[in-house]
Amino acid sequence: MDNMVITIIVGVVALAVGFFIAKALEKSSATAAIVGAKKEADRIIKEATSNGETLKKDKMLQAKEKFIELKSEHEKVINSREKKMNDAEKRTRDKESQVSSELARNKKLNAEIDNKKKNYDERLVFIDKKQSEVEKMHRSQIEQLEVISSLSAEDAKAQLMETLKEEAKTGAMAFVQNSIEEAKMTAQQEAKKIIITTIQRIGTEEAVENCISVFNLESDDVKGRIIGREGRNIRAIEAATGVEIIVDDTPEAIILSCFDSVRREVARLSLHKLVTDGRIHPARIEEIVKKTTKQIEEEIIEVGKRTVIDLGIHGLQPELIKAVGRMKYRSSYGQNLLQHSREVAKLCGVMASELGLNPKLAKRAGLLHDIGKVPETETEIPHAILGMQWAEKFGEKPEVCNAIGAHHDEIEMTSLLSPIVQVCDAISGARPGARRQVLDSYIQRLKDLEEIAFGFGGVNKAYAIQAGRELRVMVESEKVSDEKAAQLSFEISQKIQTDMTYPGQVKVTVIRETRAVNIAK
């Protein structure tokens, strides 16, 4: 126990002694650090003082350089301003000297003008004096002449004028008479020369439109299929197209007869499609005829476009192009209307060129002069007037419209194109074989037959067939009964007998058909 106490006491004493020793060492170390810090601070202060002096000297040197630079720039600006002021003063002095010279020159000019004005006034006075002297001498001479001739000046003047009038009149009449005689001699020769030259330069084929078309077959077996059971196919074709189909002993051919070439073409193309397809029955026939009719309408437009392009005519309205295309399927006195119009257009272009007129405008008038012959519906208006109305409606020039309307003298000619179109129309139609008067009257008779049928109620379609010996009339079953159909046939025949002149006899056939159509959905 005592040892433990002693040990504790010794440890405490040792601890105290160590504490005091550590404190003493710490104090000596702090003193050394303070001394080192003071030395370092003195060194830093000394170094900072040295750097500050150096920086101060540098800044002063830079300030001096900047001052010198600014001073130099300031001197440059001052010199520049002085130079500008000197230049301005110089220009001012030059202007002053120029103004002074101008003033001197103006003074000199004013002096010259004053001198010239003075001379001019003097000359005017002199001229007035001379003029008064001349007038005085002239009056004196007139008085002397009046005394010598025993006539006053007015009477002598009147006699002289009368004599001159008579001489001038006689000379003018002689000149006019000679000019008229010379014009008569040369005009006829020139006109013949122009017409002959025009005809020689235009060569076209003579085309005569017929009223029948021949449809060739590969074999006679096809005829039976076209006729159908109990003739139902051929009746369906005739009813849909309005064309009479003649099946006779002619080998491998059947004949399509109709005065309307559009109907004939529809029937021919429809037969070709039916024979090629092989399915020939009434429903198929109606379908093919409708498609072919639409195809013909498209072809009409295409023919019109090709025609105007070939002739170099631009800006024609679509309706007029369609009318031009329809002329392909029309005839005038047996002459194809489109070929006739193309020929007239070329003739007009050549003749207008020979006469120094506009050939393009002349071609346009020549091509359109007969468009009134192809209306979609029949009308009583003369074709020349109808064509003129169409041309005015679709914005053609007044010269073209007048040429169309006046080429048959329905209206007065107001432009030089009108007689040209009239002459070229006569040239085209007067060629040997170009036209047949009988065909036109025959076609008109067939049209009149159809028009009589359409004058009765309930008539849907009417076709004149067999060269006008038969009128086939299709009626609407809802409006016309079987008894009414028989009565209608009799009334139409009596109307034809009363109103028309025709050779032989005309058979009137009224067809009434009832259809029931439903659609399975």
Side-chain angles (χ1 to χ4, degrees):
M1 186 69 178
D2 293 334
N3 291 331
M4 184 180 295
V5 172
I6 292 171
T7 302
I8 293 168
I9 292 170
V10 172
V12 170
V13 172
L15 182 63
V17 172
F19 176 77
F20 284 113
I21 291 171
K23 285 290 185 180
L25 291 173
E26 182 179 0
K27 185 175 179 181
S28 62
S29 176
T31 303
I34 291 169
V35 172
K38 286 182 178 180
K39 290 181 178 180
E40 183 68 21
D42 293 337
R43 186 185 64 79
I44 290 171
I45 290 170
K46 186 177 180 180
E47 185 178 354
T49 303
S50 176
N51 291 337
E53 292 294 329
T54 304
L55 182 62
K56 181 178 179 183
K57 291 179 180 179
D58 291 340
K59 291 296 183 181
M60 290 178 68
L61 182 61
Q62 289 179 2
K64 289 180 179 179
E65 292 177 352
K66 187 69 175 177
F67 175 74
I68 292 170
E69 183 180 353
L70 292 174
K71 184 179 179 182
S72 176
E73 291 180 357
H74 181 66
E75 289 176 352
K76 287 181 180 180
V77 171
I78 291 173
N79 293 333
S80 176
R81 288 180 179 176
E82 289 179 353
K83 185 178 180 181
K84 289 182 180 179
M85 290 175 65
N86 292 332
D87 293 340
E89 289 177 357
K90 183 179 179 182
R91 286 197 301 271
T92 303
R93 287 194 297 271
D94 293 340
K95 289 287 185 182
E96 288 177 353
S97 62
Q98 185 177 359
V99 169
S100 299
S101 63
E102 288 291 334
L103 288 173
R105 190 182 297 112
N106 290 336
K107 287 181 179 179
K108 185 176 180 181
L109 289 174
N110 290 332
E112 292 179 356
I113 291 171
D114 292 339
N115 292 331
K116 288 182 179 181
K117 185 177 180 182
K118 184 177 180 181
N119 294 333
Y120 178 72
D121 293 337
E122 292 176 354
R123 288 182 181 180
L124 282 178
V125 172
F126 177 76
I127 290 171
D128 291 339
K129 184 177 180 182
K130 288 293 183 182
Q131 186 175 0
S132 61
E133 292 178 358
V134 169
E135 290 179 354
K136 185 177 180 181
M137 292 176 64
H138 181 65
R139 285 196 298 271
S140 175
Q141 290 177 355
I142 290 175
E143 290 175 355
Q144 292 178 5
L145 289 173
E146 287 178 354
V147 172
I148 294 171
S149 62
S150 301
L151 290 173
S152 65
E154 293 297 329
D155 294 339
K157 185 176 180 181
Q159 289 184 7
L160 179 61
M161 289 179 64
E162 189 67 28
T163 304
L164 292 175
K165 282 182 181 180
E166 291 295 330
E167 292 180 359
K169 186 176 180 182
T170 304
M173 289 179 64
F175 177 76
V176 169
Q177 188 66 28
N178 292 333
S179 299
I180 291 173
E181 293 297 330
E182 185 179 356
K184 286 181 179 179
M185 293 175 63
T186 58
Q188 191 172 5
Q189 294 176 357
E190 289 296 323
K192 288 181 180 179
K193 180 181 176 181
I194 291 173
I195 293 173
I196 291 171
T197 304
T198 303
I199 295 173
Q200 287 176 346
R201 289 174 60 183
I202 302 297
T204 57
E205 298 179 356
E206 297 177 2
V208 177
E209 196 73 16
N210 295 321
C211 288
I212 63 171
S213 297
V214 178
F215 181 73
N216 296 315
L217 304 173
E218 294 181 357
S219 65
D220 288 337
D221 296 337
V222 183
K223 289 183 178 180
R225 293 165 56 195
I226 292 175
I227 295 172
R229 184 180 300 174
E230 298 178 355
R232 65 173 186 171
N233 290 346
I234 196 170
R235 286 197 301 271
I237 295 173
E238 290 179 344
T241 61
V243 174
E244 181 184 5
I245 300 177
I246 302 172
V247 182
D248 53 15
D249 296 335
T250 306
E252 298 180 356
I254 60 176
I255 297 174
L256 309 177
S257 176
C258 180
F259 71 93
D260 191 334
S261 53
V262 177
R263 294 185 198 170
R264 284 205 318 276
E265 186 66 12
V266 170
R268 188 186 67 80
L269 292 177
S270 300
L271 276 175
H272 178 72
K273 293 179 181 179
L274 290 168
V275 171
T276 304
D277 184 45
R279 293 177 294 168
I280 305 177
H281 52 82
R284 179 67 175 167
I285 288 168
E286 292 184 358
E287 179 185 353
I288 292 296
V289 169
K290 287 181 181 179
K291 290 182 179 179
T292 306
T293 304
K294 186 177 180 181
Q295 178 185 343
I296 290 294
E297 292 177 355
E298 294 175 353
E299 183 179 350
I300 284 172
I301 297 174
E302 186 64 26
V303 168
K305 290 181 179 179
R306 285 201 305 269
T307 301
V308 297
I309 290 173
D310 291 343
L311 293 174
I313 296 172
H314 305 287
L316 208 61
Q317 291 293 326
E319 288 297 326
L320 293 180
I321 291 177
K322 188 175 180 181
V324 171
R326 283 203 302 269
M327 289 195 289
K328 177 183 177 182
Y329 300 100
R330 293 291 187 273
S331 61
S332 176
Y333 300 99
Q335 185 181 24
N336 181 271
L337 195 57
L338 180 60
Q339 293 298 330
H340 166 66
S341 297
R342 287 171 65 99
E343 187 176 73
V344 171
K346 292 179 181 178
L347 289 167
C348 289
V350 175
M351 193 171 290
S353 298
E354 292 289 336
L355 295 173
L357 301 177
N358 188 344
K360 292 185 177 181
L361 209 60
K363 281 185 179 181
R364 199 181 192 96
L367 179 64
L368 300 177
H369 80 285
D370 268 349
I371 57 172
K373 289 186 177 180
V374 288
E376 294 183 351
T377 58
E378 293 296 330
T379 178
E380 297 295 329
I381 302 175
H383 75 273
I385 302 300
L386 182 61
M388 181 185 69
Q389 292 174 356
W390 283 3
E392 291 174 346
K393 178 181 178 182
F394 296 112
E396 290 298 319
K397 292 186 177 180
E399 297 94 330
V400 176
C401 297
N402 181 258
I404 295 172
H407 77 277
H408 283 316
D409 295 323
E410 274 90 357
I411 63 173
E412 183 181 357
M413 296 182 180
T414 58
S415 72
L416 291 176
L417 289 182
S418 302
I420 291 177
V421 172
Q422 187 180 52
V423 170
C424 293
D425 180 41
I427 291 173
S428 175
R431 290 184 291 101
R435 293 185 172 185
R436 292 191 309 198
Q437 183 72 30
V438 177
L439 180 63
D440 186 71
S441 59
Y442 160 71
I443 292 174
Q444 186 61 42
R445 179 164 60 85
L446 299 184
K447 289 182 178 179
D448 292 341
L449 275 175
E450 294 181 353
E451 288 298 323
I452 287 177
F454 281 116
F456 290 86
V459 176
N460 187 20
K461 297 179 181 178
Y463 300 120
I465 59 177
Q466 293 187 0
R469 291 191 296 273
E470 180 178 353
L471 180 62
R472 193 163 293 179
V473 182
M474 270 68 76
V475 296
E476 300 177 10
S477 59
E478 297 84 1
K479 297 181 180 180
V480 180
S481 61
D482 291 336
E483 295 79 8
K484 180 68 174 177
Q487 182 183 354
L488 184 62
S489 175
F490 175 75
E491 291 176 354
I492 292 175
S493 64
Q494 293 299 311
K495 181 73 171 175
I496 294 172
Q497 185 174 344
T498 304
D499 295 351
M500 291 189 63
T501 302
Y502 52 90
Q505 59 185 11
V506 178
K507 177 183 177 182
V508 180
T509 304
V510 176
I511 301 173
R512 178 178 179 271
E513 184 180 13
T514 304
R515 295 189 184 187
V517 179
N518 288 288
I519 300 173
K521 298 181 180 178

